[in-house]
């Protein structure tokens, strides 16, 4: 039986439609570090939180891109990965 584009895009290997999932450790760490960055506005702690947030979100995006359960999750990983990289460039100019 051939899967349709819809099935490949939104269904996992068990046939469930998957758009959102419970957050994994890199995503939880990334979100937490990002929120803490809003509280700590400057200094070494802010710089450390920024590095942790970037690294964690980059890791989550990379995992989704290459191990996502369907094409939608993989595309989401690609979009977040591009956003992470673009945010580094926009902060330098």
């Amino acid at each position: 039986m051939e899967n349709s584009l819809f099935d490949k895009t939104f269904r996992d290997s068990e046939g469930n439609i998957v758009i959102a999932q419970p957050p994994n450790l890199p995503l939880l760490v990334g979100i937490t570090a990002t929120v803490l960055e809003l509280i700590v506005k400057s200094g070494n702690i802010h710089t450390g939180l920024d590095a942790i947030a970037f690294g964690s979100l980059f890791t989550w995006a990379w995992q989704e891109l290459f191990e996502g359960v369907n094409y939608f999750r993989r595309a989401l990983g690609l979009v977040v990965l591009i956003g992470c990289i673009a945010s580094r460039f926009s902060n330098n100019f």
Side-chain angles (χ1 to χ4, degrees):
M1 182 171 127
E2 189 174 323
N3 290 336
S4 69
L5 181 59
F6 177 85
D7 290 338
K8 290 179 181 179
T9 303
F10 294 107
R11 293 191 190 276
D12 64 8
S13 61
E14 297 175 0
N16 300 315
I17 293 179
V18 178
I19 295 175
Q21 295 174 301
N24 58 12
L25 184 60
L27 188 57
L28 290 172
V29 171
I31 291 170
T32 302
T34 300
V35 169
L36 290 174
E37 272 188 280
L38 298 173
I39 297 168
V40 179
K41 300 281 185 183
S42 62
N44 290 336
I45 294 175
H46 177 81
T47 303
L49 289 169
D50 183 55
I52 291 168
F54 175 79
S56 298
L57 294 173
F58 186 94
T59 300
W60 176 85
W62 186 266
Q63 287 178 332
E64 284 295 331
L65 178 60
F66 289 101
E67 300 172 4
V69 297
N70 56 35
Y71 290 166
F72 175 78
R73 297 293 299 182
R74 290 175 184 215
L76 183 62
L78 178 62
V79 168
V80 172
L81 190 64
I82 290 169
C84 284
I85 294 168
S87 74
R88 294 291 114 175
F89 286 113
S90 68
N91 289 341
N92 292 328
F93 295 108

